[in-house]
Amino acid sequence: MTHIIADISISLDGYVTGPDPGLHNGLGNGGEGLHTWAFSDDPEDRRIVRETTERSGAVVLGRNLFDIVDGPKGWNDETGYGAREAGKPSLVVVTSAPPASVRTSDLDWTFAPTGVRDAVAVARERAEAASARSGKDLDVYVMGGGLTISSALDAGLIDVLTLHIAPVVLGGGTPLFTGGVPHTLTQRSVLRTPTATHIAYDVPR
């Protein structure tokens, strides 16, 4: 069965980027510390990255994040989806203005112009097709940015919310939660590593 999993790194004060994020400063000022765990050599951190990448049948992301990962300082053959794993699942971008071209043309991009609900539906189809081909259950991962995840959560599209809480206080940036629909989640698992606390929550529908 394909699940919809929101998965993102976050600071102790609730930000998914540092201040002043942009095309050439994707994680904002100081935001690199959010993803230290993803490039760590700690065995548990590596396991989480590897297993998440292997289970990703399709991935949903917002347009701002697409511009960063497809930009000149974005993904390459060594570092991409899944950090050093550089996985290649189907990628679905929520955007009302698809780009004229993409730099990372070796990846499977789809642009969903009609909102996050339709993007998740397309991603589910891609993940289910990938599951059928591989013979194992694969999931949809909503990787960000913050607005895309919070919109999907508020729309009731998310089954599991996974937060990788980095031991940094950024003092500003892009918040994950800015108000909206209240949620009461059920804690599924907690794992502490030297670089992050990994917490997964079930999201009641």
Side-chain angles (χ1 to χ4, degrees), residues 57-74:
V59 175
V60 175
L61 62 158
R63 177 58 190 269
N64 286 344
L65 183 54
F66 164 79
D67 286 342
I68 291 166
V69 301
D70 193 56
K73 294 185 177 180

Side-chain angles (χ1 to χ4, degrees), residues 52 55 57 92 100 133 139 156 162 178-179 184 205:
T52 298
R55 286 194 61 86
V92 181
R133 290 193 301 269
D139 295 318
T162 301
T178 58
T184 300
R205 295 275 194 134

Side-chain angles (χ1 to χ4, degrees), residues 53-55 68 97 137-139 142 146 157 160 165 182 187-188:
T53 306
E54 289 174 351
R55 286 194 61 86
I68 291 166
D137 287 338
L138 299 175
D139 295 318
V142 184
L157 303 174
V160 178
I165 304 173
Q187 188 168 286
R188 169 185 281 202

Side-chain angles (χ1 to χ4, degrees), residues 10-40:
I10 188 169
S11 68
L12 288 174
D13 51 347
Y15 295 100
V16 297
T17 75
D20 299 321
L23 182 60
H24 297 285
N25 189 29
L27 291 173
N29 299 333
E32 294 82 3
L34 294 170
H35 292 171
T36 297
W37 74 271
F39 296 91
S40 165

Side-chain angles (χ1 to χ4, degrees), residues 115-138:
V116 69
R117 186 178 296 276
D118 287 344
V120 169
V122 170
R124 184 190 291 276
E125 291 177 359
R126 299 285 197 278
E128 289 174 347
S131 297
R133 290 193 301 269
S134 67
K136 62 181 181 180
D137 287 338
L138 299 175

Side-chain angles (χ1 to χ4, degrees), residues 67-180:
D67 286 342
I68 291 166
V69 301
D70 193 56
K73 294 185 177 180
W75 291 345
N76 54 45
D77 290 341
E78 287 76 39
T79 301
Y81 178 72
R84 289 180 293 187
E85 299 291 326
K88 294 187 176 182
S90 295
L91 298 150
V92 181
V93 181
V94 185
T95 178
S96 59
S101 62
V102 297
R103 177 183 63 84
T104 50
S105 57
D106 59 320
L107 300 178
D108 176 21
W109 294 104
T110 299
F111 298 93
T114 51
V116 69
R117 186 178 296 276
D118 287 344
V120 169
V122 170
R124 184 190 291 276
E125 291 177 359
R126 299 285 197 278
E128 289 174 347
S131 297
R133 290 193 301 269
S134 67
K136 62 181 181 180
D137 287 338
L138 299 175
D139 295 318
V140 172
Y141 280 82
V142 184
M143 66 175 287
L147 179 59
T148 300
I149 285 182
S150 61
S151 296
L153 185 65
D154 288 349
L157 303 174
I158 302 299
D159 297 308
V160 178
L161 172 64
T162 301
L163 300 179
H164 309 283
I165 304 173
V168 296
V169 176
L170 295 173
T174 305
L176 179 57
F177 302 113
T178 58

